[in-house]
Amino acid sequence: MANREQHRRQLCAGIQSLGLDLSDAQIDHLLDYIAEFAKWNRAYNLSAVRNIDDMIVRHLLDSLAVVPHISGQRLIDVGTGGGLPGIPLAICYPDKQFTLLDSNGKKTRFIFHVKTRLSLGNVTVENCRVETLQPAEKFDGVISRAFASLADMTGWCQHLVADDGLFFAMKGQFPEAELAAIAGHYHLRQRIDLQVPGEAGERHLLLLERVV
């Protein structure tokens, strides 16, 4: 219990630093999620990060840093792994619908477990390769966190996003070469320099739209 309170203080300090306004119930859900993540990580190898204090920074706060910049009602998180950033976003935006896709069955089983345990009715889990998914309705946005190059992300996912939809690409260093490779097809609508509390490395969110 002492650890839970310590983790709550760490998470709340980060949330305050990011300028987010989350309820106690949402904070509890985030803590429950990362506790389950840490527990399942020992058997399922969801992440190379092993320490839960580091997970709060490198997984939770890193995902929460993009919360103010997400738009659209229906979004898909491709290559979600253990549910990042999809699960934290779904907790923060209960009114939006999130599809979390990964080809790794162990990881999607974990996500389904979390969805059920936290009663996240706004989460759909897809265990398949992104190019094989044929949604009945296209998405307002595709988001990925270190999933692939921008060329691969836009190429593999272009059939998923609506004509006026956006790609939300979470990156470390600003990927100038990757942007140059897609310049004729996608336009950088916005570059957002993210400040993740407790993380010294560069983090960026790129909002990409199709060139008409």
Side-chain angles (χ1 to χ4, degrees):
M1 198 68 183
N3 280 349
R4 173 86 172 195
E5 287 308 310
Q6 174 189 332
H7 296 149
R8 175 181 284 274
R9 286 194 296 272
Q10 181 188 5
L11 179 59
C12 286
I15 288 169
Q16 184 176 16
S17 180
L18 290 169
L20 301 178
D21 183 17
L22 301 182
S23 69
D24 287 342
Q26 287 172 312
I27 291 168
D28 281 334
H29 270 2
L30 291 167
L31 290 169
D32 289 342
Y33 165 60
I34 209 65
E36 290 297 304
F37 190 104
K39 184 165 68 176
W40 282 56
N41 194 42
R42 290 191 283 272
Y44 275 48
N45 198 28
L46 302 172
S47 166
V49 181
R50 299 297 176 187
N51 182 291
I52 195 166
D53 294 337
D54 294 334
M55 288 178 181
I56 288 173
V57 173
R58 296 173 63 183
H59 292 333
L60 281 188
L61 294 179
D62 186 73
S63 296
L64 293 175
V66 306
V67 166
H69 312 293
I70 298 299
S71 60
Q73 194 61 31
R74 298 181 65 256
L75 298 112
I76 181 167
D77 174 10
V78 295
T80 187
L84 298 159
I87 292 294
L89 292 179
I91 290 169
C92 291
Y93 283 116
D95 57 328
K96 297 182 187 294
Q97 298 298 314
F98 291 89
T99 296
L100 276 58
L101 179 147
D102 204 278
S103 61
N104 184 308
K106 287 184 178 181
K107 292 177 179 178
T108 53
R109 280 196 290 279
F110 167 69
I111 298 166
F112 189 80
H113 163 75
V114 167
K115 163 189 163 69
T116 304
R117 189 178 187 282
L118 301 183
S119 301
L120 297 176
N122 62 333
V123 168
T124 301
V125 184
E126 293 284 356
N127 175 213
C128 64
R129 294 182 63 84
V130 65
E131 56 267 38
T132 67
L133 183 67
Q134 297 296 330
E137 182 183 352
K138 293 194 175 184
F139 294 93
D140 302 320
V142 173
I143 187 164
S144 80
R145 179 178 182 261
F147 166 60
S149 70
L150 295 179
D152 285 343
M153 178 191 178
T154 53
W156 293 338
C157 303
Q158 60 184 347
H159 67 292
L160 300 178
V161 67
D163 290 342
D164 59 348
L166 290 175
F167 284 91
F168 299 88
M170 296 173 68
K171 291 286 185 178
Q173 292 185 329
F174 186 70
E176 291 188 36
E178 290 184 27
L179 282 167
I182 61 169
H185 306 283
Y186 287 89
H187 165 70
L188 179 60
R189 176 190 283 191
Q190 191 175 2
R191 164 188 172 166
I192 299 162
D193 295 348
L194 301 172
Q195 301 295 325
V196 179
E199 178 59 69
E202 285 185 48
R203 298 294 291 153
H204 292 89
L205 176 66
L206 310 181
L207 276 56
L208 304 171
E209 58 189 354
R210 188 177 283 130
V211 172
V212 180

